């Protein structure tokens, strides 16, 4: 462990440069640049609220979200899903995208997927400004009476689980993508399935009991659900918290094992 920490410190500067590079590349040739970090989730929230608000936005059938404006409910789910989607996609392509550097210079290969995850997490943290702004708007208009309590500070725990889950999945995808290029297309389909099973723009209480059980098997749903509960001043759903924590930790461990077993053969396939 000491050797790993010392090695990580040695490449901290490179990690920082790769994170900056990933952020710059995302908004390359864009007139608004980083402003899209704030504009895109706001526009998505408006579209989803208009499309689904009339059908789903009146009754959440969940005491934890009683009185929560539908746009805020949608935005919380959309922001977390967007981070997971963009982070795993970035990590998946990281080894192939940096193939020229890998062939010329020795750098711990996990730095590449990790930098992709970290860059998207920075963008995600910036985008949370939109969430607070929308919340303040509804508080100011009197449409929402948010309970301000200590539970809101616990929302960092689901975010930590989300980061670990994205990193674990990203390590697996980065490994697979070196040997199987079709994984990019398969993962785009999987992300669509994950999105529809994450209760981003609908209330899980409206589903049948059997369907609810299936949705709750999706760890991303558990992360989003507990983030919403704490952000809206409610305690954790402990069953989902334990499940998502264990799942995220196991995924990270599995991802690290798979990555390290195959990393020496990356250079032969990129």
């Amino acid at each position: 462990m000491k050797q790993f920490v010392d090695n990580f410190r040695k490449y901290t500067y490179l990690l920082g440069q790769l994170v900056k590079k990933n952020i710059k590349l995302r908004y390359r040739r864009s007139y608004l640049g980083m402003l899209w970090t704030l504009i895109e989730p706001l526009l998505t929230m408006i579209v989803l609220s208009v499309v689904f608000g009339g059908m789903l936005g009146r009754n959440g059938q969940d005491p934890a979200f009683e009185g929560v404006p539908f746009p805020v409910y949608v935005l919380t789910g959309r922001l977390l899903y967007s981070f997971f989607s963009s982070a795993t996609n970035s990590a998946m392509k990281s080894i192939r995208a940096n193939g020229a550097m890998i062939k010329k210079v020795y750098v711990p290969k996990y730095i590449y997927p990790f930098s992709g995850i970290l860059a998207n997490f920075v963008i995600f943290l910036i985008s949370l400004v939109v969430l607070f702004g929308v919340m303040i708007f509804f508080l100011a208009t009197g449409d929402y009476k948010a309970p301000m309590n200590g539970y809101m500070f616990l929302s960092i725990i689901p975010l930590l689980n989300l980061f670990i889950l994205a990193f674990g999945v990203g390590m697996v995808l980065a490994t697979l993508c070196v040997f199987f290029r079709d994984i990019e297309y398969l993962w785009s389909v999987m992300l669509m399935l994950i999105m529809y099973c994450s209760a981003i723009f609908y209330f899980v209480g409206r589903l049948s009991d059997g369907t609810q059980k299936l949705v709750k098997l999706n760890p991303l749903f558990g992360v989003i659900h507990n983030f919403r509960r704490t952000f809206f001043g409610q305690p954790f759903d402990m069953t989902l918290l334990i499940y998502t924590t264990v799942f995220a930790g196991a995924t990270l461990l599995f991802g690290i094992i798979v990555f390290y077993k195959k990393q020496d053969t990356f250079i032969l396939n990129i």
Side-chain angles (χ1 to χ4, degrees), residues 21 27 39 44 70 126 133 140 145 153 162 173 215 220 222 225:
K21 173 189 172 184
Y27 298 105
I39 297 172
T44 304
F70 190 65
I126 296 173
K145 306 293 184 183
F153 296 101
L162 178 63
L173 291 174
V215 170
L220 188 59
H225 185 73

Side-chain angles (χ1 to χ4, degrees), residues 66-132:
E66 189 67 34
V68 174
F70 190 65
V72 182
Y73 179 87
V74 168
L75 186 58
T76 50
R78 181 61 188 176
L79 286 174
L80 270 65
Y81 169 79
S82 293
F83 162 69
F84 179 79
S85 174
S86 58
T88 51
N89 271 316
S90 178
M92 177 175 61
K93 301 172 184 177
S94 61
I95 299 299
R96 287 175 51 200
N98 292 281
M101 185 181 294
I102 291 173
K103 291 178 180 179
K104 294 179 181 179
V105 182
Y106 171 76
V107 175
K109 296 178 182 64
Y110 69 85
I111 289 289
Y112 299 110
F114 185 61
S115 65
I117 301 288
L118 201 56
N120 281 280
F121 194 67
V122 171
I123 293 171
F124 165 70
L125 292 179
I126 296 173
S127 68
L128 288 179
V129 172
V130 177
L131 178 58
F132 286 105

Side-chain angles (χ1 to χ4, degrees), residues 61-68 144 147 225 228-230 232-235:
Q61 298 185 6
D62 189 332
F65 307 132
E66 189 67 34
V68 174
Y144 179 46
H225 185 73
R228 282 170 168 159
R229 289 181 65 93
T230 52
F232 298 137
Q234 301 293 332

Side-chain angles (χ1 to χ4, degrees), residues 61-264:
Q61 298 185 6
D62 189 332
F65 307 132
E66 189 67 34
V68 174
F70 190 65
V72 182
Y73 179 87
V74 168
L75 186 58
T76 50
R78 181 61 188 176
L79 286 174
L80 270 65
Y81 169 79
S82 293
F83 162 69
F84 179 79
S85 174
S86 58
T88 51
N89 271 316
S90 178
M92 177 175 61
K93 301 172 184 177
S94 61
I95 299 299
R96 287 175 51 200
N98 292 281
M101 185 181 294
I102 291 173
K103 291 178 180 179
K104 294 179 181 179
V105 182
Y106 171 76
V107 175
K109 296 178 182 64
Y110 69 85
I111 289 289
Y112 299 110
F114 185 61
S115 65
I117 301 288
L118 201 56
N120 281 280
F121 194 67
V122 171
I123 293 171
F124 165 70
L125 292 179
I126 296 173
S127 68
L128 288 179
V129 172
V130 177
L131 178 58
F132 286 105
V134 173
M135 175 74 87
I136 292 171
F137 170 79
F138 281 103
L139 289 172
T141 57
D143 293 333
Y144 179 46
K145 306 293 184 183
M148 308 294 289
N149 54 45
Y151 287 121
M152 298 183 73
F153 296 101
L154 295 178
S155 59
I156 192 174
I157 296 176
L159 295 185
L160 180 61
N161 279 343
L162 178 63
F163 184 88
I164 294 172
L165 178 65
F167 188 30
V169 173
M171 293 285 274
V172 175
L173 291 174
T175 305
L176 292 176
C177 195
V178 171
F179 304 100
F180 309 103
R181 305 298 170 89
D182 292 343
I183 198 68
E184 291 186 27
Y185 306 102
L186 293 173
W187 184 239
S188 66
V189 176
M190 282 298 299
L191 282 174
M192 186 182 300
L193 177 62
I194 291 170
M195 180 186 71
Y196 284 113
C197 292
S198 296
I200 293 173
F201 48 80
Y202 63 86
F203 297 101
V204 73
R206 289 178 175 266
L207 305 177
S208 64
D209 290 341
T211 307
Q212 285 187 42
K213 291 179 181 178
L214 289 175
V215 170
K216 290 178 180 178
L217 289 176
N218 175 13
L220 188 59
F221 165 78
V223 170
I224 292 174
H225 185 73
N226 270 322
F227 176 79
R228 282 170 168 159
R229 289 181 65 93
T230 52
F231 188 76
F232 298 137
Q234 301 293 332
F236 285 124
D237 181 324
M238 290 306 299
T239 301
L240 283 178
L241 180 64
I242 294 171
Y243 171 67
T244 54
T245 301
V246 172
F247 192 98
T251 302
L252 178 60
L253 181 61
F254 178 73
I256 290 173
I257 292 173
V258 169
F259 189 88
Y260 270 85
K261 280 190 174 182
K262 295 294 184 179
Q263 65 175 346
D264 292 336

